[in-house]
Amino acid sequence: MARIEKVELRMVDLVPKVKRTDAIQSFVSQETPVVTITDSDGAVGTGYSYTIGTGGSSVMRLLSDHLAPRLIGRDPDMIEAIWHDLEFATHATTIGAITAIAIAAIDTALWDLRAKKQSLPLWKLAGGARDRCPLYTTEGGWLHIETQALVDDALAAKAKGFRGSKVKIGKPHGAEDLARLSAVRKAVGDGYEIMTDANQGFSVDEAIRRAARLRELDLAWIEEPLPADDIDGHVRLSNSTPTPIAIGESLYSIRHFREYMQKGACSIVQVDVGRIGGITPWLKIAHAAEAFDIPVCPHFLMELHVSLTCAVQNGRYVEYIPQLDQLTGKHMRIEDGQALAPDEPGIGIDWDWDAVKAMSIAEFTTTISK
């Protein structure tokens, strides 16, 4: 039986390719923890997660001081046991963003290792529902972008076969959001989806008011309209509008998703593998959502989420935001606006290790071994 012999930790700080702004923040940096696990058979698995500019150093210290040492000598195929052991080891500081981001990188590395040893791509190992998924794009819809540029980007995405475009909302007055979105809808027609994202920027009453104003545009969804911990507010909002309400990128526990689904507080689940703690809990949430007839449209991390979305029956969309191009050789394949599931064994990410090592921050580069 193989045992984990070595864990290598690195962090790369990536600068976004375009300016990214939303209703509450600017996304100026992507701290990317990278975990590589080697077992006694010589098999290697790599996982990663991310922040949007803060907390990366805390994630790396949690990994190096508390989590990675617990992996040495473990059977890497006991992924469920390892995940729960790591969660319990950090229970005194509770499950939250820092812990979930750290565990996600480890858990993803273990799944990559398992898939490679079984000579299967992740999407088949995790379920194998389909070999491709539709894309929608977010990169051209940030809040600072002028209306004509929004229109031009949506038209270009439609011409490439993309199924939709996301436009950020949260301008000072609802009339501004309506004008921007109306221009996009007029340009792309009724057969193209328009997603919106408020990034937790509204109060309940303001969200209800804006949803009513935008109803005529037949939006695919309104994403994160309220603070993520306001479940009852999401219930009120969901009961007030026919527009689907999407949540999930800022939830860090499967129990939070359970409450949202049980209470009818959402109609689309956007569980993020990098924030929920890895592939292990991601799959549980996706399967639970299927029981509620709720589609899964994961947030960000397209290079990893293409495999997971293709793995489950209720996977609907992959969000197009390229972020690993500087660290990879082959990039995600796209045909007629659809992301193709990778054929290679593992999670399907072709790491350029020369680039990863060159861009790694020295103070966070650590090797823990037997």
Side-chain angles (χ1 to χ4, degrees):
M1 179 187 300
R3 299 288 179 177
I4 296 173
E5 289 194 337
K6 183 170 66 173
V7 182
E8 298 170 87
L9 307 174
R10 298 181 178 87
M11 187 171 75
V12 176
D13 195 358
L14 297 174
V15 177
K17 291 184 173 184
V18 301
K19 181 180 178 181
R20 296 172 177 170
T21 60
D22 59 40
I24 64 170
Q25 64 200 347
S26 293
F27 184 169
V28 297
S29 172
Q30 180 186 312
E31 297 170 309
T32 307
V34 179
V35 174
T36 300
I37 296 173
T38 303
D39 73 9
S40 54
D41 289 338
V44 178
T46 298
Y48 72 109
S49 54
Y50 73 101
T51 79
I52 60 169
T54 59
S57 58
S58 298
V59 171
M60 297 307 295
R61 289 301 300 268
L62 184 61
L63 283 166
S64 62
D65 294 353
H66 301 286
L67 300 181
R70 294 176 179 274
L71 300 176
I72 302 301
R74 298 292 299 266
D75 176 355
D77 210 33
M78 294 186 65
I79 297 177
E80 183 80 14
I82 291 173
W83 194 95
H84 283 280
D85 288 347
L86 296 181
E87 183 192 36
F88 183 78
T90 55
H91 78 280
T93 49
T94 195
I95 191 69
I98 300 299
T99 306
I101 291 167
I103 295 177
I106 290 173
D107 187 74
T108 303
L110 290 171
W111 276 91
D112 188 44
L113 181 61
R114 173 188 279 180
K116 287 176 178 175
K117 294 193 79 167
Q118 295 188 27
S119 299
L120 285 172
L122 174 63
W123 66 276
K124 286 187 177 180
L125 181 66
R130 63 185 63 79
D131 65 1
R132 63 195 63 208
C133 268
L135 287 166
Y136 74 90
T137 180
T138 295
E139 282 293 68
W142 301 100
L143 196 62
H144 68 277
I145 296 175
E146 296 296 329
T147 299
Q148 187 57 52
L150 294 177
V151 169
D152 293 343
D153 186 80
L155 288 172
K158 182 180 180 181
K160 293 176 183 176
F162 281 57
R163 304 309 195 264
S165 293
K166 182 188 288 183
V167 177
K168 299 288 183 173
I169 58 175
K171 289 289 188 179
H173 196 280
E176 296 175 82
D177 285 336
L178 176 62
R180 286 157 56 86
L181 292 165
S182 295
V184 175
R185 172 57 75 205
K186 181 178 180 181
V188 298
D190 294 333
Y192 187 76
E193 296 285 17
I194 299 175
M195 297 78 172
T196 64
D197 187 355
N199 292 99
Q200 306 182 72
F202 299 142
S203 66
V204 179
D205 290 339
E206 183 63 18
I208 291 172
R209 181 185 181 201
R210 295 212 185 194
R213 183 188 288 269
L214 299 174
R215 177 175 178 171
E216 65 190 66
L217 299 177
D218 189 28
L219 301 176
W221 66 66
I222 300 174
E223 180 177 330
E224 286 204 312
L226 310 173
D229 55 1
D230 185 3
I231 298 177
D232 289 341
H234 282 86
V235 172
R236 281 184 57 197
L237 176 60
S238 295
N239 289 338
S240 75
T241 179
T243 303
I245 302 301
I247 57 92
E249 74 174 80
S250 300
L251 300 182
Y252 302 96
S253 166
I254 62 174
R255 296 166 188 85
H256 294 158
F257 281 95
R258 178 195 65 194
E259 291 184 71
Y260 264 96
M261 291 187 280
Q262 283 181 334
K263 292 184 176 183
C266 68
S267 42
I268 293 169
V269 161
Q270 294 184 304
V271 56
D272 182 326
V273 70
R275 292 184 172 180
I276 196 58
I279 293 167
T280 298
W282 193 100
L283 290 170
K284 293 175 182 179
I285 291 164
H287 294 315
E290 184 181 2
F292 284 92
D293 293 321
I294 293 176
V296 173
C297 305
H299 165 257
F300 205 46
L301 294 185
M302 68 177 195
E303 293 90 345
L304 183 52
H305 280 139
V306 59
S307 293
L308 293 176
T309 306
C310 287
V312 298
Q313 185 61 37
N314 54 330
R316 179 174 293 180
Y317 285 113
V318 171
E319 181 176 21
Y320 181 79
I321 305 181
Q323 74 268 16
L324 290 183
D325 290 359
Q326 300 173 64
L327 302 179
T328 56
K330 291 184 294 185
H331 301 157
M332 188 178 76
R333 294 177 298 152
I334 299 172
E335 286 184 4
D336 188 29
Q338 297 195 80
L340 306 187
D343 294 326
E344 302 81 3
I347 63 174
I349 294 177
D350 178 30
W351 297 102
D352 178 345
W353 285 109
D354 288 338
V356 172
K357 293 174 183 177
M359 296 178 67
S360 294
I361 301 173
E363 66 180 293
F364 301 124
T365 300
T366 307
T367 298
I368 298 165
S369 59
K370 185 176 178 180

